Amino acid sequence: SGPSESFRWLLVDSTDNSGDPKTGHGSLKELPFADEALVLIPTADVRLIHTKIPMISGKKLDAILPMLTEPFLLDQRMPLRYQLLPPYPGSKGIERTIAITSDTWMNWLEDQLAILPVRVLTLIPDCFLLNDPSENELHQEFLIAEQSERQILSSREGNDWGAGWIENCDTRAELAIQYPDAEIRTFDWAWLLLRAQEWLSKKMPVNLILTKPSKRKDKSNSDKPTIR
């Protein structure tokens, strides 16, 4: 099956305290109406750069985002989408996170998400559901998602930034040696649901899709991300 058939989803009915959440794996076309949707994109598909930002705003700031991120990127030739995340509560105003994604991938993803019958749609990197290592009482966490023979890894490094990468072998043993106090998590709704509900309850203003996507004509199936 192709990428459009590879979404994993969980549906919670907040009015039914006795029923179990419904889960599925495949296309989004059969999902029923939901008031709100939280969509996780693998952090490997998002570059999160935490850096100092000049005290300007608006179009002037948007225009220099590629220049500010250039030292951190190996290749800026492909069409990229730059988004400055809102200031994290309690952080310094000049220290911000810039999210960089492939414009081609995001256009494809917006086409897929446009069919969701939801009122509110939020898209975040999956590392944001891991423990925030800046909170000293919490252990660092790694998320490992299996895809064919590959592992897609995510880690949270700060309030609103983290890192993601792909390995072609099992990395659990190596991570346990390098980070003996860290907790290695796999993609499991049992804990992801609780973290997602906690994120939504905080009403964080982060959203990699600023406006609800509208359905466009189907485009080429090339260069699609590993989305769940």
Side-chain angles (χ1 to χ4, degrees), residues 177-211:
I177 294 173
Q178 294 186 13
Y179 303 92
D181 295 329
E183 184 171 357
I184 300 174
R185 292 189 173 274
T186 57
F187 191 91
D188 186 344
W189 290 122
W191 69 273
L192 277 172
L193 173 58
L194 297 177
R195 297 289 180 88
Q197 291 173 327
E198 181 182 357
W199 175 273
L200 291 173
S201 68
K202 292 180 179 178
K203 299 189 181 300
M204 302 297 291
V206 177
N207 193 354
L208 297 185
I209 293 183
L210 296 179
T211 58

Side-chain angles (χ1 to χ4, degrees), residues 109-162:
L109 179 57
E110 288 171 353
D111 282 343
Q112 304 302 310
L113 297 179
I115 66 174
L116 285 176
V118 298
R119 289 194 180 96
V120 180
L121 176 63
T122 303
L123 174 68
I124 63 171
D126 56 9
C127 72
F128 285 3
L129 296 190
L130 299 175
N131 282 341
D132 183 351
S134 64
E135 299 182 19
N136 296 329
E137 70 276 10
L138 299 177
H139 290 298
Q140 184 175 7
E141 294 178 323
F142 291 91
L143 170 61
I144 298 179
E146 307 282 351
Q147 186 185 69
S148 299
E149 297 180 354
R150 303 186 304 171
Q151 289 188 340
I152 306 172
L153 292 94
S154 302
S155 69
R156 189 174 181 180
E157 299 175 353
N159 293 326
D160 58 357
W161 73 95

